[in-house]
Amino acid sequence: EEEKEVYRQLLAMVSGGQSLLFHHGASHLKMETPSSSWTRSRVKGRRPPGKRGSVVWPGGRRLAPSDSSLPLSVARSVPSFQAELWIKELTSLYDSRARERRRLIEEQEALTSRLLRQRLSEEGRAGVTTVELRVRVPLEKEVPLAPVRAETKPAEEQEFPELSKDMEMAVSAAFKGGGQDEVLSEGFRLTITRKDLQTLSNLNWLNDEVINFYMNLLMERSKQPGLPSVYTFNTFFFPKLRSAGYSAVRRWTKKVDLFSHDIVLVPVHLGVHWCLSVVDFRKPSITYFDSMGGNNDEACRILLNYLKQESKDKRKKELDASGWTLHSKKRNEIPQQMNGSDCGMFTCKYAEYVTKDRPITFTQKHMPYFRRRMVWEILNRKLL
């Protein structure tokens, strides 16, 4: 809860709520911060304008690294602070706490499991005695028992397939050794380097390259029979649409008919926080998923307005929006992150479950597994 509160304050500050933060005494927090890769953004191999490692704040003001980290109160008035060091130190601080919490949880789960087995064993012994005295003996004498055949069930898709030893070795190798700029996977006009994949290790924040590559894997999988057809915008689409309007993204779908797909995925980045908007033409609806429980009906309205303009421009006809449902998922409707690091992972996994029409059943405890699994999937350009 402490870590989530720090992350929530950070999100509020970056999203434009600085005055509220300082009013509540958050100025005593230090700008102390995951991997600097989260600041990287590329379109077809090009970085956006601005200095490497800088952070863009609302209103276009850019904070670049300086020689020392500063308290929030100072950073508010001074135009620069050491952003990458802050993120790195913040992650390091909560990484150690998260590992300790995970160890304690595993110990409690092991104890609970052992006590449960012990209780069932004791109940089983008592139950066997009762059955033998009152039921089994008379039945064996009076009625011959026919052998019970186990019913064979069709093999179902595993929700959490175990990574083999070879797969684990491949994941570990991707994290270690070699240069940071070594290319480990290519596809969808995207290039994934070792530095990109390292954003999937421990409690680092995912960057644009990893999220865009994974969303394209979901789009590729949707070509399989029995799955809804999917189109995904990249992570730069929504910020462009929100800041510059339809005209700025009009040509992004020059060769794409959005309305021929069942589902359209729109990653939404809120400065330091990843969320997801899902357009479902089958319902029709626009749903917003936020692993911190945030409400963003504005994003849904922006996307609906975009669809109206897209329909008029590309199909030369008005989109009837009267039957559309706009909804931001509530905290109790979808799993929530329990730290300040896994928003990108939750965004990707929301998309993964939605695009195969499955109920979202994962939780925070699955995130370490999902991180390593995603590394393997990106390396092999194949979803498990």
Side-chain angles (χ1 to χ4, degrees):
E1 287 301 319
E2 177 187 344
E3 181 180 350
K4 283 181 69 177
E5 181 58 30
V6 172
Y7 183 70
R8 194 175 291 113
Q9 292 177 351
L10 175 62
L11 175 58
M13 181 179 65
V14 174
S15 300
Q18 295 96 324
S19 58
L20 177 62
L21 274 173
F22 294 106
H23 177 71
H24 290 294
S27 58
H28 297 295
L29 290 172
K30 274 202 166 185
M31 301 293 279
E32 294 175 356
T33 111
S35 165
S36 61
S37 303
W38 76 276
T39 61
R40 296 179 55 205
S41 303
R42 295 181 300 195
V43 183
K44 301 178 183 178
R46 295 194 300 272
R47 298 180 189 276
K51 295 182 180 179
R52 178 178 178 82
S54 60
V55 181
V56 179
W57 294 76
R61 187 161 67 92
R62 184 177 295 274
L63 300 185
S66 66
D67 295 331
S68 61
S69 58
L70 301 173
L72 289 180
S73 55
V74 178
R76 185 185 181 194
S77 57
V78 178
S80 63
F81 67 94
Q82 199 166 6
E84 294 190 11
L85 177 60
W86 175 39
I87 293 178
K88 185 176 181 180
E89 290 179 353
L90 182 65
T91 303
S92 176
L93 172 65
Y94 288 109
D95 190 8
S96 60
R97 293 187 182 182
R99 284 196 297 268
E100 177 63 17
R101 287 198 302 272
R102 194 175 301 151
R103 183 185 67 78
L104 293 174
I105 290 171
E106 289 173 353
E107 288 180 357
Q108 291 299 316
E109 287 180 341
L111 176 61
T112 302
S113 179
R114 187 168 68 251
L115 292 174
L116 178 61
R117 287 197 301 270
Q118 180 181 341
R119 191 189 73 183
L120 292 177
S121 176
E122 292 173 354
E123 291 179 353
R125 285 196 297 271
V128 168
T129 302
T130 303
V131 169
E132 288 180 346
L133 290 175
R134 300 181 182 179
V135 180
R136 283 190 60 199
V137 174
L139 283 177
E140 285 180 347
K141 290 181 177 179
E142 298 169 10
V143 183
L145 298 177
V148 179
R149 294 182 181 180
E151 295 183 8
T152 57
K153 296 182 179 180
E156 295 182 358
E157 176 190 350
Q158 283 188 293
E159 186 174 7
F160 308 106
E162 185 179 355
L163 300 182
S164 67
K165 185 177 180 180
D166 289 343
M167 295 165 76
E168 288 284 5
M169 289 176 61
V171 172
S172 297
F175 287 148
K176 303 174 183 177
Q180 293 288 287
D181 294 326
E182 180 183 354
V183 176
L184 299 182
S185 186
E186 291 183 280
F188 319 111
R189 298 166 67 182
L190 295 169
T191 300
I192 300 295
T193 66
R194 189 181 308 279
K195 189 174 183 180
D196 294 324
L197 281 184
Q198 285 175 347
T199 66
L200 284 164
S201 67
N202 300 319
L203 293 175
N204 288 325
W205 293 349
L206 273 60
N207 67 1
D208 294 272
E209 283 74 14
V210 166
I211 291 180
N212 286 329
F213 201 98
Y214 189 78
M215 293 294 174
N216 274 278
L217 287 176
L218 297 178
M219 188 163 60
E220 191 71 17
R221 183 185 66 179
S222 74
K223 297 176 183 178
Q224 298 176 10
L227 292 176
S229 60
V230 175
Y231 180 78
T232 179
F233 283 110
N234 67 35
T235 55
F236 312 109
F237 169 79
F238 187 78
K240 192 74 172 177
L241 172 64
R242 180 176 54 188
S243 62
Y246 177 76
S247 59
V249 295
R250 176 177 173 271
R251 295 178 60 82
W252 287 43
T253 53
K254 184 178 179 181
K255 299 180 180 180
V256 177
D257 179 10
L258 282 185
F259 303 94
S260 66
H261 295 83
D262 297 318
I263 293 174
V264 175
L265 302 175
V266 185
V268 176
H269 193 234
L270 304 177
V272 295
H273 186 57
W274 290 105
C275 300
L276 178 73
S277 287
V278 177
V279 178
D280 193 330
F281 287 107
R282 299 169 300 178
K283 294 185 178 180
S285 65
I286 301 177
T287 309
Y288 185 77
F289 295 78
D290 185 344
S291 56
M292 291 292 287
N295 185 300
N296 197 347
D297 291 340
E298 180 191 3
C300 297
R301 288 192 292 269
I302 290 174
L303 288 173
L304 182 58
N305 188 53
Y306 165 79
L307 292 176
K308 291 178 182 178
Q309 293 174 287
E310 178 76 357
S311 176
K312 191 173 182 179
D313 181 63
K314 302 296 194 301
R315 302 195 300 174
K316 309 302 179 187
K317 66 178 183 179
E318 297 286 343
L319 176 70
D320 182 11
S322 59
W324 282 73
T325 300
L326 309 183
H327 176 58
S328 293
K329 289 284 189 180
K330 296 180 176 59
R331 294 176 185 272
N332 61 340
E333 293 181 307
I334 53 175
Q336 298 286 286
Q337 68 185 91
M338 302 305 292
N339 58 28
S341 310
D342 283 328
C343 58
M345 288 301 306
F346 273 81
T347 293
C348 289
K349 298 314 294 185
Y350 289 151
E352 201 262 327
Y353 277 67
V354 165
T355 53
K356 60 183 180 183
D357 282 337
R358 293 289 184 87
I360 299 175
T361 55
F362 62 83
T363 65
Q364 174 68 59
K365 74 176 183 179
H366 297 111
M367 290 303 126
Y369 159 76
F370 279 144
R371 282 177 176 268
R372 297 185 68 81
R373 170 174 161 178
M374 194 180 294
V375 172
W376 187 90
E377 291 172 329
I378 290 176
L379 288 173
N380 294 271
R381 289 186 56 186
K382 175 184 177 182
L383 294 176
L384 289 176

